[in-house]
């Protein structure tokens, strides 16, 4: 618990509204689901997703939840948010199949709670993508909003075209710019790991899993090691490619941007918060985070 509280204290700028209340309610929900369900199943996902959508006021952004429980389809991954359809897809079959080696040798109860935690991360991650569009549209004055509005498409059709023209692009450039941005955001595997929207969604989801499942850490040290490693690995994602993943992505995404403002705001951030937003880390800062990640990896 002390480790989790220490991480909380280092992520002061983490934008999750009513964070402590959300964590408290999630702990109660998870505890109830573990009692009510003998194994990971459709009902757990529906209960979790329904709660998160309502608590985070995302009903306008998520109107359908499609959960695959029968068909293994590796082309689909674990989950996806489809903004144009306001739909989230979760493939439970894929998740269980991909994790079967990780849970080999664990007792039945630990297997169950391990899968509950990993599915939680997937669900929160996809819901966070919907929340990111809400963040962009609400346009609050904080560093996360600025980063997201500079690195993801959140408007549709003519609104997006007008936004680009207002930024200063020539109207004749706009169709190609929109195509390039869609390719970067959704289809470019090389840039996927440094996409700020993916980076933030993964860190927020792993952080919330740490907080929400911490009540089981004393009984299941393996669970703590797994989630701690997952969190630190998420913080470091993309940094093997460059010292400032967000900057590199934004420069690829749009030539007219707010990087100067982002860099100015980053001066008040600590190492954890800079890693959260994919901002520049020194070699010493990266080494310290890797040391923590390796500490939990060695625990396996």
């Amino acid at each position: 618990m002390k480790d989790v509280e220490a991480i909380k204290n280092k992520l002061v700028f983490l934008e999750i509204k009513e964070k402590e209340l959300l964590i408290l309610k999630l702990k109660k929900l998870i505890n109830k689901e573990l009692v009510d369900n003998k194994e990971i199943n459709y009902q757990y996902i529906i209960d979790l997703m329904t709660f998160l959508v309502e608590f985070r006021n995302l009903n306008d952004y998520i109107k359908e939840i499609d959960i695959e429980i029968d068909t293994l389809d590796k082309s689909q991954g674990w989950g996806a948010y489809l903004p144009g359809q306001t739909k989230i897809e979760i493939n439970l079959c894929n998740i269980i199949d991909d994790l079967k080696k990780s849970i080999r040798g664990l007792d039945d109860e630990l297997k169950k709670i391990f899968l509950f935690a990993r599915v939680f991360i997937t669900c929160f991650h996809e819901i966070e993508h919907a929340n990111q569009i809400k963040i962009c549209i609400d346009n609050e004055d904080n560093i996360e909003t600025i980063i997201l509005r500079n690195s993801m498409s959140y408007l549709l059709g003519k609104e997006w075209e007008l936004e680009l023209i207002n930024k200063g692009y020539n109207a004749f450039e706009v169709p190609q710019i929109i195509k390039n941005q869609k390719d970067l955001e959704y289809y470019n595997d090389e840039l996927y790991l440094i996409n700020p929207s993916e980076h933030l969604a993964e860190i927020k989801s792993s952080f919330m899993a740490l907080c929400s499942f911490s009540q089981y850490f004393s009984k299941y040290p393996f669970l703590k090691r797994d989630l701690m490693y997952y969190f630190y690995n998420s913080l470091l994602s993309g940094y093997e490619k460059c010292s400032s993943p967000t900057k590199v992505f934004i420069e690829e995404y749009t030539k007219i941007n707010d990087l100067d403002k982002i860099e100015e705001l980053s001066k008040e951030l600590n190492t954890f918060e800079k890693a959260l937003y994919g901002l520049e880390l020194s070699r010493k800062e990266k080494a310290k985070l890797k040391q923590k990640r390796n500490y939990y990896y060695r625990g396996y």
Side-chain angles (χ1 to χ4, degrees):
M1 287 295 289
K2 288 183 179 179
D3 291 344
V4 176
E5 288 302 316
I7 290 171
K8 273 189 191 180
N9 292 334
K10 290 174 181 175
L11 290 176
V12 176
F13 285 90
L14 182 68
E15 297 287 345
I16 298 178
K17 291 185 178 180
E18 298 185 276
K19 181 169 56 184
E20 293 303 325
L21 178 60
L22 176 58
I23 291 167
L24 180 63
K25 286 183 174 291
L26 281 170
K27 283 183 174 181
K28 290 180 180 179
L29 173 66
I30 290 163
N31 190 57
K32 182 179 184 300
E33 294 292 328
L34 283 167
V35 171
D36 290 349
N37 299 301
K38 292 182 179 180
E39 59 185 14
I40 190 78
N41 59 22
Y42 176 93
Q43 193 59 49
Y44 166 62
I45 298 173
I46 281 293
D47 290 346
L48 175 62
M49 299 282 268
T50 301
F51 165 75
L52 287 172
V53 169
E54 291 178 357
F55 186 92
R56 306 189 77 193
N57 194 25
L58 294 171
N59 293 286
D60 290 340
Y61 302 89
I62 302 170
K63 297 181 180 178
E64 183 181 352
I65 299 169
D66 184 10
I67 304 167
E68 180 56 66
I69 60 173
D70 296 318
T71 305
L72 191 67
D73 183 357
K74 292 304 179 69
S75 69
Q76 298 300 310
W78 288 15
Y81 173 58
L82 308 174
Q85 301 175 43
T86 58
K87 180 170 79 169
I88 285 179
E89 297 178 341
I90 301 291
N91 191 312
L92 183 57
C93 285
N94 285 359
I95 297 173
I96 293 173
D97 187 72
D98 286 347
L99 292 176
K100 61 188 178 185
K101 288 183 180 179
S102 300
I103 62 177
R104 191 177 295 160
L106 303 181
D107 66 51
D108 289 344
E109 190 62 25
L110 183 51
K111 283 180 183 178
K112 175 181 166 182
I113 197 169
F114 177 89
L115 288 173
F116 268 64
R118 286 300 190 91
V119 169
F120 175 97
I121 291 173
T122 301
C123 291
F124 200 98
H125 179 116
E126 300 308 334
I127 282 178
E128 185 57 30
H129 282 319
N131 185 58
Q132 288 169 345
I133 293 181
K134 184 177 185 294
I135 286 172
C136 286
I137 292 172
D138 290 348
N139 199 20
E140 295 181 7
D141 187 19
N142 57 54
I143 190 169
E144 181 168 348
T145 298
I146 298 168
I147 288 172
L148 290 174
R149 285 176 67 95
N150 276 266
S151 62
M152 66 182 289
S153 57
Y154 58 95
L155 298 173
L156 299 175
K158 295 296 180 183
E159 287 181 278
W160 193 1
E161 294 179 13
L162 183 61
E163 176 79 3
L164 291 171
I165 290 170
N166 288 340
K167 275 187 171 184
Y169 287 103
N170 186 297
F172 295 104
E173 296 179 275
V174 166
Q176 187 60 42
I177 289 166
I178 288 176
K179 181 184 182 303
N180 291 343
Q181 290 184 350
K182 282 184 176 178
D183 288 346
L184 279 175
E185 193 172 336
Y186 298 112
Y187 309 120
N188 191 312
D189 292 337
E190 186 175 335
L191 292 174
Y192 179 84
L193 289 177
I194 64 170
N195 184 332
S197 66
E198 291 297 335
H199 188 73
L200 277 161
E202 193 68 352
I203 292 169
K204 283 190 181 183
S205 57
S206 59
F207 169 79
M208 290 302 294
L210 270 180
C211 296
S212 302
F213 284 83
S214 60
Q215 57 194 315
Y216 307 108
F217 287 173
S218 58
K219 186 175 181 180
Y220 301 110
F222 177 88
L223 181 69
K224 177 182 177 179
R225 293 196 303 271
D226 178 74
L227 292 179
M228 281 289 190
Y229 175 80
Y230 198 108
F231 170 74
Y232 279 101
N233 200 49
S234 298
L235 279 179
L236 286 161
S237 178
Y239 281 100
E240 66 278 3
K241 294 181 176 292
C242 48
S243 62
S244 181
T246 290
K247 180 180 180 181
V248 171
F249 187 90
I250 288 175
E251 287 176 335
E252 289 280 343
Y253 194 84
T254 174
K255 65 186 179 184
I256 302 174
N257 55 58
D258 297 306
L259 275 172
D260 289 346
K261 189 173 183 180
I262 292 168
E263 289 173 1
E264 183 63 30
L265 289 172
S266 73
K267 291 177 181 178
E268 58 183 311
L269 304 181
N270 61 41
T271 300
F272 274 67
E273 289 162 343
K274 284 188 284 186
L276 164 68
Y277 294 118
L279 302 173
E280 186 165 5
L281 294 178
S282 67
R283 292 176 64 181
K284 185 177 180 180
E285 287 173 320
K286 280 193 283 189
K288 284 186 175 180
L289 291 175
K290 286 179 181 178
Q291 186 179 27
K292 291 292 289 186
R293 181 182 64 180
N294 293 343
Y295 170 79
Y296 291 108
Y297 180 77
R298 288 197 301 272
Y300 281 90

